[in-house]
């Protein structure tokens, strides 16, 4: 069985470590600068904790789950021997890993992780890449133990996926915060929007394409409602600007579709 | 038991008619200009179909589920006697109903309906308003038979809820279509994003506030990733514009929060 060390103790490190442990592939070590979160995560998955370069355990695979901008320096500052080293970032090329490492790889889980929330790894697309046959084979094996959806995707396409994820997750969540703000302004609670939020997500996911289920005043080009909404946002120029911009885009996009 | 007539045969009319029928309160008549969809809906809920003003059946409650801009003309062109007449629109004031009608009311379901998709009405917030005690009492009774979440909300606040719904549903769905486009550009399928879309919605709904679960390069002010994304969108100026605008807003909003 492969010996795995996880480097980092953030959201992605936690999700990977716990999910590996569930599959009987618990990491042997959590290596993290943050003593508190690192040793807590190590305890939860039955691994040892280390925080100093000299303490790094020997392993077959090192999974680097640190912030994107730390990947180069972390990978350059540790001695991995001839082991496989994979980062877990969507937008970072595999070559951001130090060129000193012979077997560079990527294992990117396409999901948004939050501490304390467990997610079903089996359904999460895991995008893998390897700079050597040995590296690719190793991440393919580990990814396959975690998920039923393992895809080999190069750095260029993985970056496109990550960009798409920013729109459908980060920007979507921001739309939720705007909804919350607009309700709060009139003394109502965000919880009212919850059935609508869940149904909107389910509908898009169950349809053949979200374009087909686009509804609302923008796609109907309903001037009356759009004007009313703009009047309501007169004291919130930033939100009014977003409203107009997105409404125009929805209308332009729908025209392109219907012309096809 | 109340006699109910539904006017219209679109998404909202269908959802209300079928849900009333499930509760043993099937409408006695579907009144709709569109013969095909009107008579089909009538058949599905065991109601008669009518399409001419003279055919309008006597009833206790007329539920007008037509497009927002048709509410005034439809409500002014039919003879409702002394019955209660309610429209089902979020952004339309109760007084858009013809002033000839004595018992004007609103029954607005806060949900996005699509033909052929059944939804659980019990969890849908139903926002009611009445211009007379009799009108309010009637829509309260009917709404209460359909849903566990009936709220009395005036036209002004209901419009704010509808505006919030545009952000969390229509604009969110547009973000999904952008994600689909970005994946398609690189030969990948929208289905890859489905677990992320569902988890993002669930996370927001299960958190105390979506603000607390905001993630991504924008909230971290991660210039490196933002610049990379802008370069990737260089041939899509409209999407680049949305990206920059929303990223800036997320960052500005998070600064305001952390200052609190």
């Amino acid at each position: 069985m492969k010996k795995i060390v996880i480097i980092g103790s953030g959201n992605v490190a936690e999700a990977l470590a716990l999910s590996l442990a569930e599959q009987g592939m618990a990491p042997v070590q959590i290596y993290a600068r943050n003593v508190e979160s690192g040793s807590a995560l190590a305890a939860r998955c039955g691994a040892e904790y280390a925080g100093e370069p000299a303490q790094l355990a020997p392993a077959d695979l090192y999974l680097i789950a640190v912030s994107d901008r730390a990947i180069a320096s972390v990978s350059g500052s540790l001695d991995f021997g001839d082991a496989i080293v994979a980062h877990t970032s969507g937008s970072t090329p595999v070559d951001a890993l130090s060129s000193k490492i012979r077997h560079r790889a990527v294992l990117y889980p396409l999901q948004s992780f939050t501490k304390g929330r467990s997610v079903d790894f089996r359904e999460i697309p895991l995008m893998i890449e390897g700079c050597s046959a040995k590296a690719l084979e190793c991440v393919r094996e580990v990814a396959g133990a975690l998920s039923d959806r393992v895809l080999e995707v190069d750095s260029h396409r993985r970056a496109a996926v990550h960009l798409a994820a920013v729109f459908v997750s980060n920007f979507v969540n921001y739309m939720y915060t705007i909804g919350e703000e607009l309700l709060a302004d009139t003394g109502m609670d965000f919880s009212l929007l919850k059935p609508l939020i869940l149904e909107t997500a389910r509908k898009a996911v169950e349809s053949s394409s979200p374009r087909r289920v686009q509804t609302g005043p923008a796609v109907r080009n309903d001037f009356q409602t759009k004007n009313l909404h703009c009047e309501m946002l007169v004291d919130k120029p930033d939100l009014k600007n977003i409203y107009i911009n997105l409404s125009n885009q929805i209308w332009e996009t729908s025209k392109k579709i219907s012309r096809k």
Side-chain angles (χ1 to χ4, degrees), chain A:
Chain A
M1 198 166 82
K2 296 223 176 312
K3 276 193 183 170
I4 301 173
V5 167
I6 289 182
I7 297 172
S9 61
N11 298 350
V12 177
E14 178 187 281
L16 282 170
L18 297 177
S19 188
L20 284 167
E22 267 176 33
Q23 299 305 318
M25 301 173 73
V28 294
Q29 185 181 69
I30 304 293
Y31 179 95
R33 270 191 319 190
N34 187 316
V35 181
E36 197 177 343
S37 62
S39 51
L41 177 57
R44 287 179 67 194
C45 56
E48 66 173 32
Y49 166 73
E52 296 297 330
Q55 300 174 317
L56 188 70
D60 302 298
L61 171 65
Y62 294 88
L63 282 173
I64 301 186
V66 301
S67 68
D68 290 2
R69 74 185 103 180
I71 290 171
S73 63
V74 167
S75 68
S77 65
L78 293 170
D79 180 7
F80 301 105
D82 199 40
I84 290 118
V85 180
H87 76 62
T88 57
S89 161
S91 60
T92 310
V94 64
D95 287 331
L97 291 165
S98 168
S99 58
K100 289 191 299 179
I101 300 165
R102 190 168 151 210
H103 298 296
R104 298 186 297 279
V106 177
L107 193 164
Y108 167 57
L110 178 52
Q111 186 51 286
S112 163
F113 299 104
T114 303
K115 287 231 169 186
R117 269 185 78 81
S118 66
V119 290
D120 181 4
F121 248 82
R122 293 242 71 86
E123 291 185 4
I124 298 176
L126 296 185
M127 309 205 162
I128 59 169
E129 183 177 6
C131 285
S132 69
K134 182 181 162 185
L136 183 62
E137 208 38 58
C138 175
V139 286
R140 191 191 299 280
E141 185 188 330
V142 172
L146 293 175
S147 168
D148 297 326
R149 300 180 76 180
V150 179
L151 298 92
E152 195 181 336
V153 174
D154 65 29
S155 290
H156 178 76
R157 288 165 76 212
R158 190 175 61 252
V161 172
H162 181 253
L163 176 56
V166 167
F167 280 91
V168 307
S169 180
N170 304 153
F171 291 170
V172 159
N173 191 70
Y174 179 58
M175 296 297 134
Y176 299 156
T177 70
I178 295 175
E180 179 180 39
E181 176 181 336
L182 293 171
L183 282 203
D185 286 348
T186 177
M188 284 186 288
D189 194 81
F190 176 65
S191 68
L192 284 176
L193 294 171
K194 292 182 177 182
L196 178 60
I197 285 172
L198 290 176
E199 170 66 4
T200 301
R202 282 191 214 111
K203 196 188 289 189
V205 158
E206 291 168 20
S207 74
S208 57
S209 160
R211 283 191 200 281
R212 292 175 188 268
V213 293
Q214 186 71 52
T215 57
V219 77
R220 292 193 305 268
N221 208 14
D222 172 350
F223 283 107
Q224 196 180 316
T225 305
K226 287 196 291 183
N227 289 340
L228 171 72
H229 286 160
C230 286
E231 279 169 35
M232 292 168 70
L233 292 171
V234 71
D235 293 332
K236 295 176 181 285
D238 293 336
L239 296 191
K240 184 176 166 185
N241 183 26
I242 291 171
Y243 183 94
I244 293 172
N245 189 1
L246 294 182
S247 291
N248 289 345
Q249 281 302 310
I250 289 172
W251 176 239
E252 291 299 326
T253 309
S254 77
K255 276 197 301 187
K256 277 182 221 154
I257 303 284
S258 53
R259 262 194 244 117
K260 276 183 186 169

